Amino acid sequence: MAGIRTSVRHRVSDRESASSSASSPEPPADDDPDYFMQNNDSVSSIAQSIFRDRPVSNPSPSGYPKNPIDRLPPEILISVFARLSSPHDLLSCLMVSKNWARNSVDLLWHRPLCNTWDHLHNVATSVQSDRAYFPYADLVKRLNLANISNMISDGTLDPFERCKRIERLTLTSCAQLTDRGIMNIVMGNSNLLALDVSGLNSITNNSIEALATNCPRLQGLNISNCRQVTDQSLIQLAENCKYLKRLKLNKCVQITDEAMTAFASCCLSMLEIDLQDCKEITDASITAILARGRGLRELRLAQCNLVTDRAFMQLPEYLPLESLRILDLTACNQLHDSSVEKIIERAPRLRILVLAKCTEITDRSVFAICKLGKNLHDIHLGRCNQISDAALIELVKACSRIRYIDLAGCIRVTDKSVKILASLPKLRRIGLVKCQAIKDDSIFALARNDRPHIPSNLERVHLSYCTNITLQGVHALLNNCPRLTHLSLTGIQAFFMDHTLVNFCREAPPEFNDEQRTVFCVFSGEGVNRLRTHLNTGTSSGVSENEGTMYDDGIEDDGSAEHMVGLMQGTQIGGNVHGNANVHGVATGGIGGPDADVEGETEGEDGEYMDYEVEGEGG
């Protein structure tokens, strides 16, 4: 018990440190970046396993009256313990009696913390021990090794072969892993619900076939960038794992319509599918997915260049897609206005529609999108250079709840439509990169927002290469948008002429070349506040190398993490319990779900990163 006491004490200090960064743009270091945890619909297994496996409290020793609280059944005790937020409190409960210990230890061990090598070593030692007081190998339900991915190899996973109740396994970017490591941990584990092995280019069909054979309850799979996986294993997976709900196959370049048609036929509960950069996918499989996936909420087809109008025009008559909320058709440049009209007709409750780089669409598509009305939250029209002011004005009139609009590269957009866009009451982000026709009048309108005494909601504004904008417009925007946390001004002349202004700019991403670094001018986080102060007072507060104004703005390093010894916080019990996750992968790369809030970055032609947010519906 002394080991558990020490571990929990360290866990408390770590949690206090993590909480200090709760308002930062990025999560604390010990948060699980597990895409599948966010939206997994399975009932929490903590209560299930304990209710099923734990014995009822033992009778009190002879001669002693039984305390009334000892008569509580295990499910009541667990429900009470699950509402304790402090690990200290849980430890106190664990020390009361053997019965209380049995019913509280799961809450500390269901998701062991493995964000350093020392933590992983301690957890591995515990699960292997035959003398441990508790069967720790059976308590582990979630295992996330993504934070130490560069240290993980097949041998690292050997101790966890005993953990046959793991439900969510995250091995993102553990590039040293091979089929052997994956297969050993999957074999005999029929409880696995979600597996994330994105970025493991060394795994082959063998791992997927082992998954299909051993994990019939699988609900979520992320094999992005697993380029050796082919249709053969995925067809077997579709036939054996009929409960699949979330499938992420980004850049699995060997996947064709054959595999996707199998998923459409066998996995009728599918909610989310991501096929970004799957170049062999054609109209046939997309039509099959939409025709049979009546509950589908999210479909991402970015860079699927073979998708044409036929994918949507051949849908069965009177087929409603009432559940579809997110549709990403980035760079599907064979789509025309007729496809957009058909999509809106069949999916009238779309909230996020991405048509960036669909260069064939015109104002006619925007007029069709107007029918979404208040359902529409995010609309991406970047590089749709046939879009004009007239269509955008009608869009604002019809869709008053737009929170993010991207018009990057829409060369026909002028001050006339931007002034109308500024009146959107919920607008938080706007992308106007390379809209070279706009002037300061647009920026003043965004700053005023036509709502006296109500501060602007704008958080991110992208104005790079809007060459007619002056410093006066930028200054007005800074002073009238108190929530502004990101401002991109690459290519704005005023920031070339005054080098003191770029002192507050964040560093260019490391992959940029020298020319891109020279012109890069993006302000984030505290850098925005310092720029505002400098323009208002003519002085700066100084920029320290160690302050969070650069590329990793707002991220705090949790110094106390090194003391934690593999105990994780408990999750709430009762009803359907969902975990929490951040998605890194698509557009960072995860799939946002109906409750997801996913923020990513995509590189634009201008050599800067254009941040964007994807949010689904709440509830």
Side-chain angles (χ1 to χ4, degrees), residues 458-502:
L458 279 174
E459 297 173 0
R460 292 175 177 254
V461 180
H462 305 273
L463 300 172
S464 294
Y465 299 103
C466 294
T467 53
N468 292 315
I469 292 175
T470 69
L471 186 59
Q472 287 71 27
V474 173
H475 194 181
L477 191 68
L478 287 165
N479 282 337
N480 290 278
C481 300
R483 299 181 183 178
L484 198 65
T485 60
H486 182 98
L487 182 62
S488 67
L489 299 169
T490 299
I492 304 299
Q493 185 177 10
F495 288 81
F496 283 118
M497 299 176 64
D498 187 349
H499 292 291
T500 62
L501 298 176
V502 298

Side-chain angles (χ1 to χ4, degrees), residues 369-433:
I369 294 169
C370 290
K371 297 178 182 178
L372 294 174
K374 294 183 178 180
N375 289 317
L376 185 65
H377 286 180
D378 294 12
I379 177 69
H380 299 246
L381 298 169
R383 304 192 199 175
C384 298
N385 50 26
Q386 300 186 59
I387 304 281
S388 71
D389 287 337
L392 293 175
I393 291 171
E394 291 302 314
L395 183 68
V396 173
K397 292 178 181 178
C399 305
S400 60
R401 293 187 180 180
I402 291 176
R403 299 175 301 187
Y404 177 36
I405 184 166
D406 177 21
L407 300 170
C410 294
I411 56 177
R412 299 177 64 188
V413 172
T414 71
D415 290 336
K416 183 178 180 181
S417 57
V418 177
K419 288 178 182 178
I420 302 299
L421 286 168
S423 67
L424 288 166
K426 295 183 179 294
L427 187 65
R428 295 193 300 181
R429 305 188 179 189
I430 184 168
L432 297 170
V433 173

Side-chain angles (χ1 to χ4, degrees), residues 78-93:
I78 295 168
S79 294
V80 173
F81 296 154
R83 285 163 173 77
L84 299 177
S85 59
S86 167
H88 272 311
D89 292 339
L90 275 174
L91 177 61
S92 298
C93 293

